[in-house]
């Protein structure tokens, strides 16, 4: 099987980046939620990660960023909470599908 275009570590880095931002902004609640997602991203099933990778490659990084950024900010703002990184990834994939169709 081919290596996914978007690696697990790259996906994990998203949570680390936003957690660092929350830390800088002294938002310990958001930082905690993001660090929880960072830790749980080790357990994302490979098929789900491969699906994410193929969809991201299909629509391009700029479009992915335009969809992903507001979803990540919802976590920071407390408007969205996810129990596991795969929950966030499912939501992201649904938004990518909606954007493509």
């Amino acid at each position: 099987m081919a290596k996914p275009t978007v690696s697990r570590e790259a996906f994990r880095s998203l949570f680390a980046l936003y957690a660092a931002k929350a830390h800088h902004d002294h938002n310990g609640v958001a930082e905690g939620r993001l660090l929880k997602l960072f830790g749980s991203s080790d357990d994302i099933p490979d098929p789900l990660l491969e699906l994410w990778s193929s969809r991201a490659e299909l629509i391009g990084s700029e479009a992915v960023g335009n969809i992903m950024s507001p979803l990540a900010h919802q976590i920071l703002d407390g408007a969205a909470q996810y129990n596991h990184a795969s929950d966030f990834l499912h939501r992201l994939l649904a938004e990518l599908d909606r954007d493509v169709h």
Side-chain angles (χ1 to χ4, degrees):
M1 186 174 287
K3 181 179 178 185
T5 304
V6 181
S7 71
R8 181 179 307 277
E9 290 307 310
F11 188 74
R12 293 183 81 215
S13 296
L14 166 77
F15 299 120
L17 174 70
Y18 280 101
K21 165 99 171 84
H23 179 78
H24 179 266
D25 294 346
H26 306 290
N27 186 342
V29 174
E31 181 183 5
R33 285 194 301 257
L34 289 159
L35 289 175
K36 177 182 174 185
L37 295 178
F38 174 81
S40 68
S41 60
D42 270 341
D43 300 323
I44 295 173
D46 287 337
L48 182 59
L49 191 61
E50 290 166 9
L51 181 60
W52 150 252
S53 181
S54 65
R55 297 272 172 76
E57 185 175 22
L58 178 68
I59 71 167
S61 60
E62 187 174 341
V64 169
N66 290 339
I67 294 168
M68 184 182 292
S69 185
L71 294 178
H73 278 95
Q74 288 176 355
I75 298 170
L76 285 172
D77 298 340
Q81 291 186 7
Y82 302 95
N83 292 324
H84 193 279
S86 60
D87 296 335
F88 176 80
L89 189 49
H90 278 291
R91 171 69 193 282
L92 181 57
L93 286 168
E95 293 297 320
L96 292 175
D97 284 345
R98 193 170 59 92
D99 194 60
V100 170
H101 297 275

